[in-house]
Structures are given as structure tokens and as C-alpha cells.
Amino acid sequence: MGRSRDNRRGAAEAVVEAVEGGLAELIPDPDRARAWSLLIDGAPQSHVDLDDPAHLSFEYQRRIGHVIDLAAPPGKPVQAVHLGGGALTLARYTAATRPRSTQQVVERDAALVQLVRRELPLDPGARIRVRSVDARAGLAKVPDGWAHLIVADVFSGARTPAHLTSAEFLDEVRRALRPGGVYTANLADGPPLAHLRGQIATAGARFPELALIADPAVLRGKRFGNAILVASDLPLPLAELTRRAASDPHPARLEHGSRLRDFTGGAAPVTDTSAVASPAPPPSVFR
């Protein structure tokens, strides 16, 4: 493990450590006393405020936070599965906003989990279990109909692995969700948006209700960025999701229904035999 003095804050030190996925850096936030950003090989992964775990700094995490807020009545405990852990930001958020929730986090990188637990410890009262296995293998261990909510935010080298993009993977998601449960996924793509269109077509083949939340420039194929997929077997709270996404510091647009179907442009659902990893972001994204 390496530490380097960060001159922006008196005694705060960046923590730099090799993990299975690359070089992890925990960088102190100059504006928040006990807040940190996690980077892997220079790519921002998570932001955590230990004093205020309900604070979500990253745009895409804030949008997923809206989904978590609306997945059940306010404050009601849920059973949640997080595929991809990072700094456990969204699990901490769920625990803070929905006390007594029971959560499973599946994060393959055991060294990263160790680093995060040591440097950014979880609230001892949070009912969060972390398992260091492959996301799809971990999902297969979730009992049928157990989860109110499944959050997928899995990246390896800034790309979502191919086996987490297929219809067969979504069959496992549906199996683990209870009726009316919500699935949300962080998808990343840029022009010409072939990956994103294929992911929407794949989700549409498995879920009757879909929505997509993203920056309008991303949806128009003008730049690389994140898009948040929301899916369920029951109608989604579209009006409130739309309002929240539009009122964020960086406003986003929500697409659903015929406009979202048209967005796929006739893309075919992805299967295990045709799946490929999501595209790598251009270097300019992290500058």
C-alpha cells in the first residue's frame, strides 16, 4: 500500500494500492471532511462521504439513487442485490435511506473489498454482506424471488464484461427479483450507440416495462457517457423519475414506451453466444 500527502487538506492522504482490477486510488475530497473518490487505473469509480452516505456526488449514481428512492415507499426496508461494489456507495446509500434493509454486494475484486473495508469502513449497523465472486455467479446464489431491487454497476477495465450483457443474464435477474421488483443498470456507451441499443433491445425481450435515463447529448450520440436502465414487470414511476432526473444539477432525460423502442433502431437482443463487452471509453472521458 502507498500513501501520498495531499496538500489540499491538512492531514488527508491519498491511498494508492494495487488490487486485482488495477491500481486503486482513494483521493480525499477537498470540500467534504470525510469524503473520498475511488479511481481504478485513473478511471473514477465511486465517491463516498462517510459522514453523509446519502450524498451522491457522481451523476450516474444520483440517477440510480432516484430509482432506489422510488423502488418502494419512502424509508421502507428492502432486500437488495448490488452487482459490482466499488466503494459500496449505493449500498451505503440504501442503508442510510432505508434503514434495516438487507443487502448483498457481489464484488469480484477481493483486494478492492479489503481496501474499502479498511479505509472506508461500513456502518456496523448496516446489514450489508459482501461476497467476492463473479457477479453472475453471485447472482445465481440469490434465492428465487428474494430481491426487491437489483443494481448492476459492473466494470472491468472500464468495460462491462460480456457475460453480464446477455438475455440469459437477465433471465437470472428476473429469477432473483420478486414480482414488482426493480432492476437498474449502469450502461456506458458512445457514438454510434450500438451497445446501448442492443442492451435496450435485450432488456425489452425480458421485461415489459423499461425506462432509460441519460444526458440528452449521450442519447443523441454526441458523446460517450452513462445511461441508466430501469426495468420491471410492473409499471414504473415514470412521472417522478422524469421530474427527479430533470431537476438534477446535471439534468437528464427519461425515455420510455414507443420512443425507447424506436431508439433501439431494430437492434437484436444479445445472447450469451453473441455478447461482447461494452466499448472502452475514449481517453478524453477521464481528462
Side-chain angles (χ1 to χ4, degrees):
M1 177 180 72
R3 289 178 180 267
S4 59
R5 181 69 62 184
D6 189 317
N7 294 324
R8 296 171 303 173
R9 286 170 46 180
E13 294 181 329
V15 180
V16 182
E17 188 163 320
V19 296
E20 294 167 27
L23 188 68
E25 299 174 83
L26 289 173
I27 308 297
D29 186 329
D31 300 317
R32 303 178 77 91
R34 296 181 67 227
W36 301 79
S37 292
L38 168 67
L39 286 70
I40 304 289
D41 286 341
Q45 300 287 327
S46 304
H47 180 278
V48 169
D49 188 333
L50 297 178
D51 290 333
D52 182 11
H55 172 76
L56 297 176
S57 178
F58 288 3
E59 292 172 29
Y60 88 88
Q61 290 184 328
R62 194 159 48 245
R63 292 165 188 164
I64 294 177
H66 299 326
V67 177
I68 294 171
D69 290 345
L70 299 171
K76 180 180 178 181
V78 296
Q79 294 177 174
V81 177
H82 300 265
L83 304 176
L88 310 178
T89 304
L90 292 169
R92 297 174 201 262
Y93 178 85
T94 304
T97 58
R98 298 185 176 280
R100 303 182 309 284
S101 291
T102 303
Q103 302 185 76
Q104 298 184 37
V105 177
V106 183
E107 170 54 63
R108 181 173 185 167
D109 194 329
L112 177 60
V113 171
Q114 254 188 348
L115 170 65
V116 168
R117 281 189 177 277
R118 185 183 70 237
E119 301 292 339
L120 308 176
L122 286 166
D123 180 338
R127 300 166 64 179
I128 300 172
R129 177 189 180 195
V130 184
R131 304 182 66 228
S132 296
V133 296
D134 172 77
R136 190 155 161 181
L139 180 61
K141 299 293 186 182
V142 176
D144 293 0
W146 183 85
H148 295 95
L149 174 70
I150 296 178
V151 179
D153 184 17
V154 185
F155 288 85
S156 175
R159 304 178 71 184
T160 301
H163 68 298
L164 305 180
T165 68
S166 68
E168 291 88 344
F169 165 69
L170 290 184
D171 287 337
E172 276 295 296
V173 169
R174 287 214 63 174
R175 178 198 60 75
L177 278 175
R178 63 180 55 200
V182 176
Y183 171 65
T184 185
N186 178 26
L187 309 175
D189 199 9
L193 299 180
H195 174 73
L196 185 56
R197 297 182 201 281
Q199 288 302 284
I200 300 305
T202 306
R206 292 299 185 265
F207 288 94
E209 303 291 336
L210 296 182
L212 189 70
I213 306 169
D215 184 297
V218 173
L219 292 174
R220 291 195 301 267
K222 299 295 185 181
R223 68 172 181 85
F224 194 98
N226 299 91
I228 303 306
L229 169 70
V230 191
S232 181
D233 60 358
L234 292 180
L236 296 164
L238 297 173
E240 184 61 14
L241 276 174
T242 299
R243 186 191 71 77
R244 293 186 181 212
S247 62
D248 273 339
H250 297 278
R253 193 170 79 209
L254 182 144
E255 296 287 8
H256 66 95
S258 59
R259 285 175 62 93
L260 187 54
R261 287 192 295 273
D262 292 344
F263 174 80
T264 65
V270 175
T271 66
D272 276 344
T273 56
S274 63
V276 296
S278 67
S284 59
V285 168
F286 304 126
R287 287 177 187 164

mmCIF file of all heavy atoms in Angstrom, residues 240-258:
data_model
loop_
_atom_site.group_PDB
_atom_site.id
_atom_site.type_symbol
_atom_site.label_atom_id
_atom_site.label_comp_id
_atom_site.label_asym_id
_atom_site.label_seq_id
_atom_site.Cartn_x
_atom_site.Cartn_y
_atom_site.Cartn_z
ATOM 1 N N GLU A 240 -42.394 10.642 -11.705
ATOM 2 C CA GLU A 240 -41.484 11.098 -10.651
ATOM 3 C C GLU A 240 -40.025 10.894 -11.059
ATOM 4 O O GLU A 240 -39.169 11.734 -10.757
ATOM 5 C CB GLU A 240 -41.789 10.375 -9.347
ATOM 6 C CG GLU A 240 -40.971 10.838 -8.152
ATOM 7 C CD GLU A 240 -41.182 12.310 -7.793
ATOM 8 O OE1 GLU A 240 -42.147 12.926 -8.287
ATOM 9 O OE2 GLU A 240 -40.359 12.832 -7.019
ATOM 10 N N LEU A 241 -39.725 9.801 -11.755
ATOM 11 C CA LEU A 241 -38.367 9.613 -12.256
ATOM 12 C C LEU A 241 -37.998 10.734 -13.232
ATOM 13 O O LEU A 241 -36.877 11.255 -13.197
ATOM 14 C CB LEU A 241 -38.238 8.255 -12.951
ATOM 15 C CG LEU A 241 -37.968 7.034 -12.080
ATOM 16 C CD1 LEU A 241 -38.008 5.770 -12.927
ATOM 17 C CD2 LEU A 241 -36.625 7.140 -11.356
ATOM 18 N N THR A 242 -38.938 11.084 -14.093
ATOM 19 C CA THR A 242 -38.689 12.153 -15.053
ATOM 20 C C THR A 242 -38.420 13.468 -14.339
ATOM 21 O O THR A 242 -37.482 14.210 -14.683
ATOM 22 C CB THR A 242 -39.895 12.308 -15.996
ATOM 23 O OG1 THR A 242 -40.097 11.089 -16.714
ATOM 24 C CG2 THR A 242 -39.681 13.441 -16.989
ATOM 25 N N ARG A 243 -39.238 13.782 -13.337
ATOM 26 C CA ARG A 243 -39.088 15.040 -12.601
ATOM 27 C C ARG A 243 -37.735 15.096 -11.900
ATOM 28 O O ARG A 243 -37.029 16.112 -11.961
ATOM 29 C CB ARG A 243 -40.218 15.185 -11.586
ATOM 30 C CG ARG A 243 -40.220 16.537 -10.866
ATOM 31 C CD ARG A 243 -41.175 16.555 -9.699
ATOM 32 N NE ARG A 243 -40.695 15.731 -8.589
ATOM 33 C CZ ARG A 243 -39.734 16.105 -7.740
ATOM 34 N NH1 ARG A 243 -39.143 17.273 -7.879
ATOM 35 N NH2 ARG A 243 -39.365 15.300 -6.752
ATOM 36 N N ARG A 244 -37.364 14.006 -11.235
ATOM 37 C CA ARG A 244 -36.104 13.999 -10.496
ATOM 38 C C ARG A 244 -34.901 14.091 -11.426
ATOM 39 O O ARG A 244 -33.939 14.806 -11.141
ATOM 40 C CB ARG A 244 -36.011 12.743 -9.633
ATOM 41 C CG ARG A 244 -37.026 12.722 -8.499
ATOM 42 C CD ARG A 244 -36.787 11.538 -7.586
ATOM 43 N NE ARG A 244 -37.771 11.482 -6.511
ATOM 44 C CZ ARG A 244 -37.525 11.009 -5.291
ATOM 45 N NH1 ARG A 244 -36.316 10.569 -5.000
ATOM 46 N NH2 ARG A 244 -38.472 10.978 -4.376
ATOM 47 N N ALA A 245 -34.948 13.353 -12.523
ATOM 48 C CA ALA A 245 -33.826 13.391 -13.470
ATOM 49 C C ALA A 245 -33.663 14.787 -14.064
ATOM 50 O O ALA A 245 -32.537 15.268 -14.241
ATOM 51 C CB ALA A 245 -34.041 12.364 -14.570
ATOM 52 N N ALA A 246 -34.770 15.451 -14.346
ATOM 53 C CA ALA A 246 -34.710 16.772 -14.958
ATOM 54 C C ALA A 246 -34.261 17.849 -13.988
ATOM 55 O O ALA A 246 -33.730 18.889 -14.405
ATOM 56 C CB ALA A 246 -36.075 17.136 -15.534
ATOM 57 N N SER A 247 -34.443 17.616 -12.678
ATOM 58 C CA SER A 247 -34.107 18.638 -11.688
ATOM 59 C C SER A 247 -32.725 18.451 -11.065
ATOM 60 O O SER A 247 -32.331 19.211 -10.189
ATOM 61 C CB SER A 247 -35.169 18.664 -10.584
ATOM 62 O OG SER A 247 -35.225 17.425 -9.895
ATOM 63 N N ASP A 248 -31.978 17.451 -11.524
ATOM 64 C CA ASP A 248 -30.620 17.236 -11.028
ATOM 65 C C ASP A 248 -29.705 18.396 -11.439
ATOM 66 O O ASP A 248 -30.002 19.117 -12.402
ATOM 67 C CB ASP A 248 -30.045 15.937 -11.596
ATOM 68 C CG ASP A 248 -30.397 14.728 -10.759
ATOM 69 O OD1 ASP A 248 -30.728 14.903 -9.572
ATOM 70 O OD2 ASP A 248 -30.336 13.602 -11.287
ATOM 71 N N PRO A 249 -28.572 18.575 -10.736
ATOM 72 C CA PRO A 249 -27.609 19.608 -11.146
ATOM 73 C C PRO A 249 -27.177 19.461 -12.609
ATOM 74 O O PRO A 249 -26.943 20.448 -13.291
ATOM 75 C CB PRO A 249 -26.431 19.386 -10.195
ATOM 76 C CG PRO A 249 -27.049 18.774 -8.975
ATOM 77 C CD PRO A 249 -28.172 17.917 -9.478
ATOM 78 N N HIS A 250 -27.064 18.220 -13.073
ATOM 79 C CA HIS A 250 -26.815 17.949 -14.486
ATOM 80 C C HIS A 250 -28.061 17.236 -15.023
ATOM 81 O O HIS A 250 -28.183 16.014 -14.913
ATOM 82 C CB HIS A 250 -25.577 17.072 -14.670
ATOM 83 C CG HIS A 250 -24.315 17.716 -14.180
ATOM 84 N ND1 HIS A 250 -23.610 18.622 -14.935
ATOM 85 C CD2 HIS A 250 -23.657 17.613 -12.998
ATOM 86 C CE1 HIS A 250 -22.555 19.042 -14.249
ATOM 87 N NE2 HIS A 250 -22.565 18.443 -13.069
ATOM 88 N N PRO A 251 -29.019 17.980 -15.574
ATOM 89 C CA PRO A 251 -30.313 17.398 -15.941
ATOM 90 C C PRO A 251 -30.178 16.257 -16.945
ATOM 91 O O PRO A 251 -29.323 16.277 -17.837
ATOM 92 C CB PRO A 251 -31.077 18.577 -16.548
ATOM 93 C CG PRO A 251 -30.421 19.791 -15.985
ATOM 94 C CD PRO A 251 -28.968 19.419 -15.838
ATOM 95 N N ALA A 252 -31.055 15.260 -16.772
ATOM 96 C CA ALA A 252 -31.089 14.118 -17.669
ATOM 97 C C ALA A 252 -32.493 13.974 -18.243
ATOM 98 O O ALA A 252 -33.460 14.526 -17.713
ATOM 99 C CB ALA A 252 -30.689 12.845 -16.922
ATOM 100 N N ARG A 253 -32.567 13.212 -19.309
ATOM 101 C CA ARG A 253 -33.848 12.948 -19.956
ATOM 102 C C ARG A 253 -34.239 11.493 -19.739
ATOM 103 O O ARG A 253 -33.371 10.614 -19.676
ATOM 104 C CB ARG A 253 -33.739 13.246 -21.458
ATOM 105 C CG ARG A 253 -35.088 13.318 -22.172
ATOM 106 C CD ARG A 253 -34.903 13.853 -23.570
ATOM 107 N NE ARG A 253 -34.414 12.848 -24.501
ATOM 108 C CZ ARG A 253 -33.662 13.114 -25.569
ATOM 109 N NH1 ARG A 253 -33.265 14.349 -25.801
ATOM 110 N NH2 ARG A 253 -33.283 12.135 -26.373
ATOM 111 N N LEU A 254 -35.512 11.237 -19.599
ATOM 112 C CA LEU A 254 -36.017 9.871 -19.471
ATOM 113 C C LEU A 254 -36.774 9.498 -20.746
ATOM 114 O O LEU A 254 -37.635 10.249 -21.200
ATOM 115 C CB LEU A 254 -36.928 9.747 -18.253
ATOM 116 C CG LEU A 254 -37.488 8.338 -17.975
ATOM 117 C CD1 LEU A 254 -37.572 8.072 -16.476
ATOM 118 C CD2 LEU A 254 -38.885 8.154 -18.593
ATOM 119 N N GLU A 255 -36.432 8.346 -21.288
ATOM 120 C CA GLU A 255 -37.137 7.799 -22.455
ATOM 121 C C GLU A 255 -37.835 6.514 -22.061
ATOM 122 O O GLU A 255 -37.324 5.731 -21.254
ATOM 123 C CB GLU A 255 -36.150 7.514 -23.594
ATOM 124 C CG GLU A 255 -35.446 8.729 -24.151
ATOM 125 C CD GLU A 255 -36.352 9.616 -25.006
ATOM 126 O OE1 GLU A 255 -37.576 9.376 -25.051
ATOM 127 O OE2 GLU A 255 -35.834 10.557 -25.622
ATOM 128 N N HIS A 256 -39.013 6.297 -22.619
ATOM 129 C CA HIS A 256 -39.766 5.057 -22.352
ATOM 130 C C HIS A 256 -40.753 4.838 -23.486
ATOM 131 O O HIS A 256 -40.884 5.661 -24.406
ATOM 132 C CB HIS A 256 -40.501 5.155 -21.009
ATOM 133 C CG HIS A 256 -41.597 6.188 -21.000
ATOM 134 N ND1 HIS A 256 -42.913 5.895 -21.244
ATOM 135 C CD2 HIS A 256 -41.549 7.524 -20.787
ATOM 136 C CE1 HIS A 256 -43.644 6.988 -21.179
ATOM 137 N NE2 HIS A 256 -42.838 8.003 -20.901
ATOM 138 N N GLY A 257 -41.450 3.708 -23.428
ATOM 139 C CA GLY A 257 -42.507 3.431 -24.387
ATOM 140 C C GLY A 257 -42.013 3.389 -25.825
ATOM 141 O O GLY A 257 -40.921 2.900 -26.130
ATOM 142 N N SER A 258 -42.816 3.940 -26.738
ATOM 143 C CA SER A 258 -42.516 3.839 -28.163
ATOM 144 C C SER A 258 -41.228 4.578 -28.525
ATOM 145 O O SER A 258 -40.479 4.138 -29.400
ATOM 146 C CB SER A 258 -43.681 4.392 -28.990
ATOM 147 O OG SER A 258 -43.938 5.748 -28.671
#
